[in-house]
Amino acid sequence: MSDQHDPAPYDALLLLSFGGPEGPDDVVPFLENVTRGRGIPKERLKEVGQHYFLFGGVSPINDQNRALLDALRTDFEQAGLGLPVYWGNRNWAPYLTDTLREMITDGRRHIAVLTTSAYASYSGCRQYRENLADALAALEAEGLPLPRVDKLRHYFNHPGFVEPMIEGVLASLAELDPSVRDGAHLAFTTHSIPDSAADSSGPVTEHGEGGAYVRQHLDVARVIADAVRRETGIDHPWRLVYQSRSGAPHIPWLEPDICDHLEELHGAGVPAAVMVPIGFVSDHMEVLYDLDTEATAKAAELGLPVRRSATVGADPRFAAAVRELVLERAANERGTRAERCALGALGPSHDLCPIGCCPARAERPAAAGADSPYA
């Protein structure tokens, strides 16, 4: 195997995701896992779970992860990369601790980790690292030999993640009536988070208004908008907007909300809009409900033509990007140089989360970073 196609020292890849219910009886237990420690009554969880019950109590995220697993395994096999791929979730089966136990039993000792979150934030990065630390602590208590786990860098600006989204926007624009197409605005959407979490996202040097979270999304949106202009010859106005807020009303969260933004566009006489979910890897519940159901209904109420462009999902280019991320990190671990692909102005992200990066709400150990208690 040539050096540039050598995954050593890694002997496995772990796909680490959020998880979701797979039937009506799973919804409340799943939400209890998500909200554990917050003291939310079961009746309130049933109310929150109505989004899932509208879809038969099934979140699409698990099937989407299965499709991504298949795509990764196919890509690795075709590239001659003999690296097994496992899957574990934070909040539902297959649970992370169980998957890591299986990997240890299979003899895996140096694991690369891909999370289904592309950007820097507490909930999108450090919380996954805390989950890894919790799982390793549980397995250590069982007397098992602990593997080393390395989280792959943020891939928000990797060509294999961005280019499928560019195609998705072009396809959505093409679906609009020609009479409104050229005047369509692009609404780039991502998950809203508390202002305080956004401001402290990324390394300490990037903390400030919006932090790395907002800066990274803006950079991706700009890359996509520029590519659409080059392809169509039309300079579509755009804005970064937010969705899926879930916090207390008195706590400031990132705004504007997508539905409020659609009202603003309609009031300004904009003829159409394309919603571009750049903050999401696949069409999970926040996309299916908050965009395809709620925001689309708001647009219909306003009489505003809208389309929602595709997420990356299991696109073969994304699977190839993951392979490239594994190989570049492997080369770095061996002390050799590898090409680090990135679009936009920010360049490739760090391999190792530094101390103070996306700080925790409360002090908790986190694996796969400079402050990891696990070497």
Side-chain angles (χ1 to χ4, degrees):
M1 179 180 295
S2 67
D3 186 67
Q4 64 179 354
H5 292 96
D6 185 0
Y10 297 113
D11 54 19
L13 174 68
L14 168 62
L15 175 65
L16 177 53
S17 193
F18 192 82
E22 300 202 78
D25 293 341
D26 296 344
V27 172
V28 172
F30 162 74
L31 292 173
E32 287 175 333
N33 287 343
V34 174
T35 62
R36 181 168 286 115
R38 301 183 200 173
I40 300 176
K42 183 170 288 189
E43 289 306 310
R44 174 58 182 153
L45 294 179
K46 290 179 180 178
E47 294 176 14
V48 173
Q50 290 306 311
H51 295 180
Y52 291 98
F53 292 127
L54 286 174
F55 295 88
V58 178
S59 167
I61 194 170
N62 282 345
D63 276 346
Q64 289 160 4
N65 282 326
R66 292 183 183 103
L68 180 55
L69 280 173
D70 288 344
L72 291 171
R73 288 166 176 159
T74 297
D75 178 88
F76 286 12
E77 181 179 0
Q78 291 176 347
L81 193 69
L83 199 69
V85 185
Y86 296 75
W87 169 38
N89 289 325
R90 284 168 47 178
N91 298 299
W92 202 249
Y95 288 103
L96 171 59
T97 302
D98 295 335
T99 299
L100 279 176
R101 185 185 297 108
E102 177 188 0
M103 297 177 83
I104 292 170
T105 301
D106 289 348
R108 313 304 173 194
R109 294 296 180 265
H110 201 153
I111 299 167
V113 180
L114 175 80
T115 64
T116 52
S117 177
Y119 299 84
S121 70
Y122 171 76
S123 57
C125 183
R126 185 178 176 90
Q127 193 169 15
Y128 281 104
R129 293 177 48 224
E130 291 176 353
N131 298 143
L132 284 166
D134 290 343
L136 291 171
L139 297 172
E140 185 176 38
E142 295 176 12
L144 295 175
L146 297 188
R148 174 171 168 175
V149 294
D150 292 334
K151 180 180 175 294
L152 299 176
R153 67 174 171 95
H154 302 302
Y155 49 84
F156 63 92
N157 56 1
H158 194 287
F161 183 67
V162 178
E163 289 171 358
M165 292 192 290
I166 294 170
E167 285 190 5
V169 174
L170 293 170
S172 292
L173 286 168
E175 292 174 359
L176 289 169
D177 190 277
S179 64
V180 299
R181 183 183 302 148
D182 288 354
H185 281 225
L186 308 180
F188 293 98
T189 75
T190 190
H191 208 300
S192 184
I193 61 176
D195 286 4
S196 58
D199 293 347
S200 60
S201 58
V204 173
T205 54
E206 297 185 43
H207 291 181
E209 189 174 356
Y213 186 75
V214 172
R215 191 173 298 114
Q216 290 170 359
H217 281 87
L218 285 172
D219 200 49
V220 172
R222 191 172 295 108
V223 168
I224 295 174
D226 288 348
V228 170
R229 185 187 66 250
R230 289 192 298 271
E231 184 69 24
T232 66
I234 304 297
D235 191 5
H236 292 274
W238 63 271
R239 186 173 183 181
L240 178 63
V241 300
Y242 303 92
Q243 60 176 91
S244 313
R245 175 185 170 133
S246 59
H250 68 281
I251 298 175
W253 282 51
L254 293 173
E255 295 178 336
D257 176 78
I258 176 63
C259 289
D260 294 338
H261 181 59
L262 293 176
E263 287 190 347
E264 179 184 345
L265 292 179
H266 175 67
V270 171
V274 173
M275 300 181 290
V276 190
I278 59 172
F280 306 93
V281 172
S282 63
D283 290 1
H284 53 63
M285 190 56 69
E286 276 93 345
V287 175
L288 290 187
Y289 182 80
D290 296 339
L291 293 183
D292 293 356
T293 304
E294 190 174 52
T296 300
K298 169 59 71 174
E301 173 190 319
L302 296 168
L304 177 68
V306 295
R307 294 293 185 273
R308 194 269 292 174
S309 66
T311 54
V312 173
D315 190 289
R317 288 166 292 185
F318 181 45
V322 174
R323 167 169 45 85
E324 292 174 9
L325 290 168
V326 170
L327 292 173
E328 74 168 41
R329 182 63 183 272
N332 183 60
E333 291 297 309
R334 296 193 305 268
T336 59
R337 301 190 64 170
E339 182 181 6
R340 292 164 59 82
C341 296
L343 300 176
L346 298 181
S349 187
H350 50 263
D351 278 340
L352 192 68
C353 291
I355 293 173
C357 191
C358 303
R361 299 164 184 167
E363 193 65 31
R364 287 183 58 190
D371 56 354
S372 172
Y374 300 100

